[in-house]
Amino acid sequence: MPIQTFDIDRDRRTIDVAKEIALLEPDDSPFTVILMRARKKAANGAEIVWFDDKLGALWTQINHSAGYNANADNLTVDDNSIFAPYDVVKVARTGEVMLVTEIGDSNVITVLRGYGTTSAADINHDDWLVILGNAMKEGSNAPAEKLSQPTKHNNYCQIFRTVFSVTGTEEAEGVITNESERARLTRKEGLKHRLMLEHAILFGEKKEDTTTAAAKRRMMGGLLSYISSNVYNVSSGILTESEFELCCEQIFAYGSANKLLVASPRLLTVISRWAVGKLEVLPKADTYGVSIRRYISAHGTLDIVPSKTLRNAYSGWGFFVDLDNIKYRPLRDTKLKRNIQQNDEDAVRDEYFTEATLEVRLEKTHGVIKGVVN
């Protein structure tokens, strides 16, 4: 009869501890705990790939540092792929309406200026343009299609290994406390392993190192490496309620009306000063065991979790996360491997092992705030 797992001592088997490690002191690295318990999907390879479609495809901006005078009819914009001939376009700042006649190279559009009742006026760099639909001739053929391909993104699975050991003598010797040294290290190093995951999930930079065939390694890109649109720097260091609401206005422009704010203890302290009476503490039973405070802004709801990961150089930081557009992607989920010591080593050696990465979709739905002092 073949040997079954029931025949093997537990200490000789690899133990799947993904759920257990998520339950271990969850407030120390709450973002990773939430991802592990609520936003997890197995990876299907060492590299994951996903595709994002464009957001806000009816708006773009003028991209010309000198601007344009009222007679200019060839305009460079951030993205001309959203236009087709005979689109009606409004310059939001001046009210001028233009008719697109041609789509050129290098993000240029050719337009008829002052096509509506509002006269043509000078256009500034970064002026917003919005499409008001198209205006086709009577009896015309169907207009040109405006089709775009989704943008490809990728990330790599990073291997995390946290090793700990005790000598054979220590393992055999009794202790005064109720907990053996191996049990203490199992608990402590499990927490350390998860903290390392949280550091990489927030701050990692994507890399696939194939310098030598025998030493290939991969690093995951963290959330910060994917955020480019919504970076809110509090240059004065002083975050007021009105400035925070302006930040929320930007953050909630896209995506869900309910987002997560992973906040440094300093950021939470500052918010608490002027949000007295506006912060609701949610029951841990409903929040994956994590301490969460809910803040209702004028633009959406923020569930705030304080993270001890955001300290020292990151003490004034916070990450706005749209949980609908992020996933924790383990290729090999967290496991506790027992007795990995060499055969002749007078010790017992264990390790936590994880191979995982992060999937960040629609980066405009996420954001970061930094520079908060008081």
Side-chain angles (χ1 to χ4, degrees), residues 39 41 49-53 55 150-151 153 223 226 322 324-327 329 358-366:
R39 302 298 300 163
K41 178 183 177 183
V49 175
W50 65 93
F51 294 86
D52 284 343
D53 219 339
L55 291 170
T151 304
H153 300 278
L223 179 58
Y226 286 94
D322 190 330
D324 289 344
N325 294 313
I326 194 166
K327 286 187 178 71
R329 301 290 305 275
L358 191 68
E359 178 182 327
V360 183
R361 291 182 174 271
L362 302 176
E363 68 88 16
K364 285 187 177 182
T365 67
H366 311 286

Side-chain angles (χ1 to χ4, degrees), residues 32-58:
T32 301
V33 169
I34 290 171
L35 292 180
M36 282 181 161
R37 300 190 67 186
R39 302 298 300 163
K40 181 165 70 173
K41 178 183 177 183
N44 51 14
E47 178 184 4
I48 65 168
V49 175
W50 65 93
F51 294 86
D52 284 343
D53 219 339
K54 292 181 180 178
L55 291 170
L58 296 177

